[in-house]
């Protein structure tokens, strides 16, 4: 991914809203691979011809194999205020995903307790609170079904590592293409951060952004995504 390919949905003096491609890190880690933050900084340096370092604050993360909308702070104040919104559940994040298998209920709230093994980068799921666990809650809504696959809308109540992936797997429907927690399809994992809502940290304006995955790609092409007015959900 080159910096000129960065998809910027919105930008002003305080924030950037971008689309993170699947397979790209949100933030740098021990692998040394380029992250979307690194790419966005390069984009800003080139656009504004800045010779020195560029500030860009991380507000929230997406798993490496998850694509979609992210908001970044261009100033420390904006980052701090957006982070407060994250902590106070003001920022709303909704995801589209395709799961494999049958969910018992078409609409439900899932609550589990998660423990992350940092060494393995793997999350274990429990139905009860154990030492070191963090509560994880999400709401889901099955929008469409095609055979054994389901197009599912997910709203996060908490933001835990691998949360959607492990909670849906625990419910009996792993995400398409999730090689860590599900079946090993060759396609990219079908999990996309499609809707992002928050209050602008300076203007206080209510902001809402929608981004769809590649609806021509498998397995998204099995569903009528845009014709269902999903952006209003």
């Amino acid at each position: 991914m080159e910096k000129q390919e960065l998809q910027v949905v919105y930008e002003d003096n305080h924030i950037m809203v971008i689309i993170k491609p699947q397979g790209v890190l949100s933030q740098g880690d021990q692998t040394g691979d380029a992250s979307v933050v690194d790419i966005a900084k390069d984009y800003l340096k080139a656009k504004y011809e800045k010779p020195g370092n560029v500030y860009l604050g991380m507000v929230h993360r997406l798993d490496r194999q998850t694509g979609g909308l992210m908001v970044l702070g261009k100033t420390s104040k904006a980052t701090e205020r957006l982070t407060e919104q994250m902590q106070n559940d003001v920022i709303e994040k909704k995801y589209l995903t395709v799961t494999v298998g049958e969910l018992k209920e078409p609409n439900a709230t899932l609550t589990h307790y998660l423990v992350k093994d940092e060494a393995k980068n793997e999350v274990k799921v429990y139905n009860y609170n154990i030492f070191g666990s963090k509560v994880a809650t999400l709401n889901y809504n099955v929008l469409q079904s095609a055979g054994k696959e389901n197009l599912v809308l997910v709203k996060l109540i908490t933001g835990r590592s691998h949360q959607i992936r492990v909670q849906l797997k625990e419910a009996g429907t792993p995400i398409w293409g999730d090689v860590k927690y599900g079946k090993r399809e060759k396609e990219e994992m079908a999990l996309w951060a499609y809707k992002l809502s928050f209050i602008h940290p300076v203007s206080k304006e209510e902001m809402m952004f929608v981004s769809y995955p590649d609806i021509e790609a498998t397995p998204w092409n099995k569903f009528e995504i845009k014709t269902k007015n999903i952006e209003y959900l």
Side-chain angles (χ1 to χ4, degrees), residues 97 99 101-108 139-146 149-154 168 173 223 233:
T97 186
T99 64
E102 183 178 354
L103 285 159
K104 294 180 180 178
E105 301 291 339
N107 310 290
N139 298 328
Y140 76 79
N141 181 5
V142 178
L143 302 179
Q144 301 170 46
S145 295
E149 283 87 46
N150 310 287
L151 178 66
V152 181
L153 171 71
V154 176
L168 290 177
T173 55
F223 306 96
L233 296 175

Side-chain angles (χ1 to χ4, degrees), residues 121-212:
N121 190 31
E122 188 171 303
V123 174
K124 293 185 177 180
V125 187
Y126 297 88
N127 291 316
Y128 49 88
N129 191 6
I130 70 168
F131 179 77
S133 67
K134 294 181 179 180
V135 66
T137 304
L138 60 78
N139 298 328
Y140 76 79
N141 181 5
V142 178
L143 302 179
Q144 301 170 46
S145 295
K148 294 183 178 180
E149 283 87 46
N150 310 287
L151 178 66
V152 181
L153 171 71
V154 176
K155 179 183 177 181
L156 283 181
I157 307 303
T158 58
R160 309 301 185 197
S161 182
H162 299 186
Q163 177 179 342
I164 299 174
R165 299 162 67 182
V166 296
Q167 287 198 271
L168 290 177
K169 170 65 182 299
E170 185 68 13
T173 55
I175 292 175
W176 176 284
D178 188 346
V179 298
K180 185 181 289 288
Y181 301 107
K183 297 182 179 180
R184 296 178 177 271
E185 285 88 359
K186 295 180 181 179
E187 289 79 14
E188 290 181 322
M189 186 171 71
L191 181 57
W192 189 265
Y194 98 99
K195 189 173 183 179
L196 181 65
S197 304
F198 57 89
I199 306 299
H200 192 283
V202 177
S203 71
K204 307 306 179 184
E205 176 186 1
E206 292 185 6
M207 311 200 73
M208 189 270 285
F209 302 92
V210 170
S211 167
Y212 292 105

Side-chain angles (χ1 to χ4, degrees), residues 43-58:
Y43 165 88
L44 292 174
K45 288 181 71 173
K47 180 177 180 179
Y48 298 106
E49 299 181 348
K50 291 190 174 183
N53 292 329
V54 173
Y55 176 86
L56 206 54
M58 174 68 69

Side-chain angles (χ1 to χ4, degrees), residues 78-117:
T79 302
E80 180 181 349
R81 290 176 178 175
L82 287 170
T83 301
E84 282 184 10
Q85 290 187 43
M86 278 292 298
Q87 294 169 345
N88 295 323
D89 300 324
V90 176
I91 293 181
E92 183 178 75
K93 297 185 292 179
K94 292 184 178 180
Y95 295 75
L96 291 175
T97 186
V98 176
T99 64
V100 182
E102 183 178 354
L103 285 159
K104 294 180 180 178
E105 301 291 339
N107 310 290
T109 298
L110 299 179
T111 298
H112 296 96
Y113 296 88
L114 310 185
V115 177
K116 185 173 184 180
D117 184 330

Side-chain angles (χ1 to χ4, degrees), residues 144 212 215 223-231:
Q144 301 170 46
Y212 292 105
I215 62 173
F223 306 96
E224 299 177 2
I225 295 179
K226 291 190 176 181
T227 61
K228 293 294 182 178
N229 295 319
I230 292 172
E231 66 268 24

